[in-house]
């Protein structure tokens, strides 16, 4: 553990880490941990590094936890997360949703099973290698217009890649928000993946040395983005 922390601190622009406590919906940045599930240890800000454990779903302890509130948002609307401080590591942002099954609500469901579809991901640019989310404090995506109305979990992740050259070196900064999506359509989101299950430690976008040689391409981990 100590070794990982030292490597992380050396490679970091800032020494502290970022969390995603605040949903941005209806153009408002909401209170920290009001709509996002506050995970165990959020104050220490340590990343998830083992993609085979349940912590990869919604962060440590958060699959079994509820946020105080569920946000009502229209399908097709802009939504986001505000990080508690600027994103201080290079890496990619990815966004997933999962529809809450009958008999559960966004507050009570644990997000288990092959239920998650990717709605968005960003990509670096090359020569020089640049990562669009670096130093940002607000990150946005759009709820697909054709998702069926209902309760959802929204999963955001930033995958920090500065120490990803060794196995379990990539760092996953994750939050799950609770949504009630209104409007919507009859879309059938696909492909569906499970967390854990969607990623392998050896995926080329997870086990990657971004320094030597500097990559000329990057393959985001996880499924293709559902095009709605
Ligand atoms: C979702 O929002 C709609 C519109 O405000 C409301 O009628 C419905 O009861 C909400 N559903 C849940 C599960 O909260
Ligand atoms: Cu760090």
């Amino acid at each position: 553990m100590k070794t990982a922390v030292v490597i992380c601190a050396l490679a970091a622009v800032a020494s502290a880490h970022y969390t995603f406590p605040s949903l941005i919906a209806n153009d408002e940045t909401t209170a920290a941990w009001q709509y996002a599930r506050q995970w165990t240890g959020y104050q220490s800000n340590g990343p998830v590094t083992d993609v085979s454990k349940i912590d990869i779903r919604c962060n440590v302890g958060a699959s079994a936890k509820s946020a105080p509130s569920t946000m009502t948002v229209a399908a097709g609307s802009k939504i986001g997360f505000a990080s508690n401080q600027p994103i201080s590591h290079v890496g990619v942002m990815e966004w997933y949703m999962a529809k809450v099954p009958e008999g559960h609500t966004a507050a009570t469901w644990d997000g288990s099973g092959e239920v998650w579809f990717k709605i968005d991901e960003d990509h670096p640019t090359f020569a020089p290698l640049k990562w669009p989310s670096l130093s940002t404090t607000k990150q946005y995506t759009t709820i697909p217009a054709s998702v069926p109305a209902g309760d959802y979990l929204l999963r955001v992740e930033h995958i920090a890649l500065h120490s990803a050259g060794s196995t379990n070196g990539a760092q996953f900064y994750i939050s799950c928000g609770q949504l009630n999506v209104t409007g919507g359509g009859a879309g059938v989101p696909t492909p569906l993946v499970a967390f854990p299950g969607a990623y392998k430690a050896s995926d080329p976008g997870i086990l990657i040395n971004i320094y030597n040689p500097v990559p000329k391409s990057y393959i985001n981990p996880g499924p293709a983005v559902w095009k709605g």
Side-chain angles (χ1 to χ4, degrees):
M1 285 325 268
K2 200 145 211 166
T3 313
V5 170
V6 170
I7 289 167
C8 184
L10 286 175
V13 176
S15 57
H17 282 153
Y18 40 99
T19 58
F20 298 100
S22 299
L23 203 61
I24 307 170
N26 305 316
D27 273 333
E28 268 183 53
T29 299
T30 58
W33 310 116
Q34 184 68 31
Y35 300 95
R37 294 181 175 184
Q38 188 181 74
W39 46 278
T40 307
Y42 73 98
Q43 286 149 316
S44 69
N45 299 350
V48 174
T49 55
D50 187 342
V51 300
S52 72
K53 299 272 165 60
I54 193 171
D55 297 349
I56 197 68
R57 189 182 302 158
C58 286
N59 221 322
V60 182
S63 295
K65 247 182 141 180
S66 301
S69 309
T70 295
M71 172 62 78
T72 298
V73 284
S77 61
K78 185 177 169 184
I79 192 163
F81 269 97
S83 46
N84 66 327
Q85 58 182 277
I87 291 179
S88 56
H89 288 309
V90 293
V92 286
M93 301 284 311
E94 301 202 322
W95 302 80
Y96 293 82
M97 289 173 71
K99 190 162 195 317
V100 176
E102 294 290 323
H104 297 267
T105 68
T108 64
W109 185 49
D110 66 0
S112 59
E114 295 197 346
V115 291
W116 296 91
F117 54 99
K118 190 187 274 181
I119 60 167
D120 204 0
E121 63 186 17
D122 70 5
H123 304 274
T125 52
F126 300 94
L129 184 60
K130 286 193 174 166
W131 307 86
S133 60
L134 185 64
S135 302
T136 63
T137 52
K138 290 181 176 179
Q139 300 82 32
Y140 294 99
T141 188
T142 300
I143 308 227
S146 62
V147 289
D151 274 16
Y152 285 83
L153 294 179
L154 171 70
R155 176 181 178 279
V156 64
E157 72 182 347
H158 185 258
I159 309 175
L161 296 171
H162 56 286
S163 49
S166 53
T167 300
N168 292 354
Q171 302 179 350
F172 296 77
Y173 296 89
I174 307 160
S175 264
C176 286
Q178 299 174 185
L179 300 183
N180 169 13
V181 175
T182 59
V188 182
T190 181
L192 299 175
V193 296
F195 287 102
Y199 300 158
K200 293 195 303 291
S202 59
D203 285 347
I206 292 176
L207 180 60
I208 179 174
N209 181 332
I210 60 164
Y211 300 112
N212 185 24
V214 176
K216 295 187 172 69
S217 64
Y218 178 78
I219 300 169
N220 287 65
V225 173
W226 178 56
K227 294 300 184 190

